[in-house]
């Protein structure tokens, strides 16, 4: 088919997708480069190359391709937002924030693009430990009255977790209601119920109400089975992993984190690899320090400047008596958290540990 219509990028994109599923990145790269050489004015090949390089962990190459795509089509929202995501991965948080704020305030962009701008803003502010600004951005997102479903529920869950982090359980519980009006059917009400149970479980884990956590998990399992909500399996396993970790049952926590990744390998993107970070943390608690470092370094390939990953790596290297590496990664975390909220506990703990290790 491609030989019959070599100029059709849609056909090329389908072939590239198959190569990616087969993990044959070099074949996908070769096909896209050949297409871009023959059809230099088509931005899609450059944009797709950028996404491919991101998946391969070659972030500077990805930036080059996005820049070319932007020159050809400067006003396409997907290119702008993807470029901003990349700047975040490269640690250029201020640049990403400025571009997102400008996009959110631009009256010429679509409602969907504004929504995505606030969505990415709350994610970045969360990474930086600026939870007040993160919550503000998430609340503005819902002021746009989104009309699409599951994505807005995930955003509502993220907002709820932000409120849990600052100790406002009441607003955490109310956050899911922001999405409830988008789902009039009985099946959708059951979905909302499942997500409410996820939030309640998260709150009860922090309060060590373990029986309530297990009750919430049972309800999630029932709703998943009754309505075919298989996407809940990953959430359920993550809750069980966090429960086991809280109870210092690191062996079972490790298994649940792995199960959560298996059922939804890309979910939790707003937390920048929280589940694989949990795996690294559990390996450390089990005194499997080399496995811990190995797991955490894998997370860094996709999120090179996520401070929580550097923080966890520092703790693991410290256990291995590798003082230089421990100091290096803790310093990176502190630099990224330089403007974190004063009551953001993990950032304060990082500063204390660095001071202690430096003496």
């Amino acid at each position: 088919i491609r030989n019959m219509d070599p100029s059709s990028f849609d056909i090329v994109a389908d072939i590239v997708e198959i190569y990616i599923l087969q993990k044959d990145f070099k074949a996908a790269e070769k096909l896209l480069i050949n297409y871009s050489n023959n059809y230099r004015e088509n931005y899609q090949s450059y944009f797709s190359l950028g996404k491919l390089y991101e998946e391969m962990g070659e972030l500077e190459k990805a930036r080059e391709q996005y820049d070319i795509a932007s020159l050809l089509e400067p006003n396409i929202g997907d290119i702008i937002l993807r470029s901003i995501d990349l700047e975040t991965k490269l640690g250029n948080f201020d640049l990403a924030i400025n571009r997102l704020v400008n996009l959110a305030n631009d009256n010429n962009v679509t409602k969907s693009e504004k929504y995505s701008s606030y969505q990415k803003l709350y994610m970045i502010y969360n990474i930086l430990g600026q939870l007040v600004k993160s919550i503000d951005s998430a609340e503005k997102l819902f002021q746009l009255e989104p009309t699409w479903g599951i994505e807005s529920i995930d955003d509502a869950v993220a907002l709820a977790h932000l409120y849990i982090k600052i100790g406002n359980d009441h607003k955490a519980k109310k956050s899911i209601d922001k999405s409830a009006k988008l789902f009039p059917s009985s099946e959708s009400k059951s979905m909302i119920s499942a997500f409410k149970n996820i939030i309640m479980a998260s709150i009860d884990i922090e309060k060590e109400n373990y029986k309530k956590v297990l009750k919430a998990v049972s309800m999630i399992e029932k709703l998943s089975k009754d309505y075919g909500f298989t996407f809940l399996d990953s959430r359920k396993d993550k809750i069980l992993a966090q429960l086991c970790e809280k109870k210092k049952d690191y062996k079972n926590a490790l298994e649940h984190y792995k199960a959560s990744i298996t059922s939804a390998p890309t979910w939790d993107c707003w937390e920048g690899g929280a589940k694989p970070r949990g795996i690294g943390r559990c390996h450390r608690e089990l005194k499997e320090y080399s496995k811990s470092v190995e797991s955490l370094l894998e997370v860094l390939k996709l999120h090179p400047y996520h401070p929580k990953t550097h923080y966890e790596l520092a703790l693991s290297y410290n256990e291995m008596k590798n003082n230089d590496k421990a100091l290096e990664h803790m310093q990176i975390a502190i630099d990224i958290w330089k403007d974190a909220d004063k009551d953001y506990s993990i950032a304060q703990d990082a500063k204390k540990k660095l001071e202690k290790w430096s003496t």
Side-chain angles (χ1 to χ4, degrees):
I1 296 172
R2 179 173 171 252
N3 288 337
M4 292 168 61
D5 188 4
S7 65
S8 172
F9 184 76
D10 289 342
I11 298 171
V12 171
D14 287 341
I15 298 171
V16 166
E17 186 176 346
I18 293 169
Y19 281 139
I20 291 174
L21 289 171
Q22 294 175 331
K23 301 296 181 184
D24 192 349
F25 298 124
K26 288 300 179 184
E29 178 188 24
K30 182 179 179 181
L31 182 58
L32 288 169
I33 288 174
N34 286 341
Y35 184 91
S36 61
N37 287 337
N38 291 323
Y39 304 97
R40 295 182 180 277
E41 299 304 312
N42 190 322
Y43 79 93
Q44 293 171 295
S45 59
Y46 303 107
F47 187 44
S48 295
L49 257 175
K51 291 190 285 186
L52 176 65
Y53 285 135
E54 268 199 83
E55 189 154 351
M56 294 168 68
E58 299 183 33
L59 302 185
E60 290 296 343
K61 283 187 176 181
R63 176 194 269 166
E64 290 174 9
Q65 298 304 316
Y66 291 151
D67 285 347
I68 297 171
S70 295
L71 286 172
L72 292 171
E73 295 288 348
N75 298 316
I76 293 182
D78 283 348
I79 300 175
I80 295 169
L81 292 167
R82 192 83 189 206
S83 298
I84 291 171
D85 279 343
L86 183 60
E87 294 301 337
T88 303
K89 288 182 180 180
L90 290 167
N92 300 319
F93 298 108
D94 290 341
L95 174 61
I97 288 170
N98 287 336
R99 291 178 67 182
L100 286 168
V101 169
N102 290 337
L103 197 62
N105 293 328
D106 188 344
N107 293 326
N108 295 318
V109 302
T110 66
K111 184 176 177 180
S112 175
E113 288 167 346
K114 279 183 179 286
Y115 187 99
S116 294
S117 299
Y118 285 122
Q119 188 181 54
K120 293 180 189 304
L121 273 170
Y122 84 67
M123 292 179 184
I124 294 173
Y125 283 131
N126 176 60
I127 289 170
L128 298 177
Q130 299 176 31
L131 301 187
V132 175
K133 288 184 177 179
S134 183
I135 288 171
D136 180 64
S137 296
E139 290 285 7
K140 285 179 179 176
L141 178 152
F142 282 100
Q143 289 172 14
L144 293 171
E145 298 181 357
T147 56
W148 46 95
I150 187 67
E151 182 179 15
S152 71
I153 293 189
D154 276 339
D155 289 321
V157 171
L159 177 59
H161 280 114
L162 287 167
Y163 277 124
I164 292 171
K165 286 181 181 181
I166 66 170
N168 194 331
D169 294 346
H170 175 71
K171 284 200 172 182
K173 295 173 188 175
K174 300 292 285 184
S175 294
I176 300 300
D177 294 335
K178 294 179 182 295
S179 288
K181 62 182 179 181
L182 305 178
F183 297 90
S185 70
S186 59
E187 181 177 306
S188 299
K189 287 179 182 177
S190 298
M191 190 187 299
I192 294 291
S193 174
F195 280 99
K196 283 185 175 179
N197 275 282
I198 289 171
I199 296 306
M200 289 307 303
S202 298
I203 293 170
D204 287 325
I205 286 172
E206 292 303 313
K207 293 184 175 181
E208 300 184 3
N209 295 329
Y210 299 144
K211 287 185 178 179
K212 288 185 177 180
V213 176
L214 293 175
K215 184 178 179 181
V217 167
S218 295
M219 181 59 69
I220 294 166
E221 287 178 329
K222 184 177 186 305
L223 290 166
S224 176
K225 182 179 179 181
D226 290 349
Y227 292 93
F229 296 158
T230 55
F231 58 86
L232 292 173
D233 293 342
S234 175
R235 275 83 160 175
K236 177 203 69 177
D237 278 311
K238 187 179 179 185
I239 290 168
L240 289 171
Q242 292 169 329
L243 173 63
C244 290
E245 200 174 352
K246 188 78 171 180
K247 296 169 72 175
K248 302 187 186 305
D249 180 3
Y250 299 110
K251 187 174 181 180
N252 280 315
L254 186 62
E255 293 308 310
H256 283 299
Y257 275 127
K258 288 178 179 178
S260 182
I261 290 174
T262 300
S263 55
T266 59
W267 190 78
D268 93 336
C269 58
W270 86 280
E271 285 281 16
K275 292 182 286 187
R277 240 189 337 266
I279 288 175
R281 193 165 52 244
C282 289
H283 278 306
R284 183 177 64 245
E285 295 296 342
L286 292 168
K287 302 188 186 306
E288 298 168 351
Y289 303 127
S290 295
K291 287 185 178 180
S292 174
V293 167
E294 182 181 346
S295 298
L296 293 166
L297 287 175
E298 282 298 311
V299 183
L300 276 190
K301 288 181 181 179
L302 294 178
H303 302 278
Y305 289 92
H306 200 297
K308 285 186 179 179
T309 308
H310 286 283
Y311 172 84
E312 296 292 352
L313 261 172
L315 296 182
S316 296
Y317 277 125
N318 184 61
E319 292 292 345
M320 297 174 75
K321 310 301 180 187
N322 189 334
N323 190 55
D324 289 343
K325 284 287 186 182
L327 290 172
E328 175 191 341
H329 286 283
M330 195 62 82
Q331 185 64 61
I332 292 172
I334 290 170
D335 289 344
I336 297 170
W337 280 326
K338 60 181 173 37
D339 296 318
D341 297 342
K342 287 189 174 14
D343 54 355
Y344 190 60
S345 58
I346 190 171
Q348 303 309 319
D349 182 66
K351 289 178 183 177
K352 290 177 183 176
K353 281 184 166 56
L354 186 66
E355 289 175 6
K356 180 180 178 182
W357 296 347
S358 300
T359 57

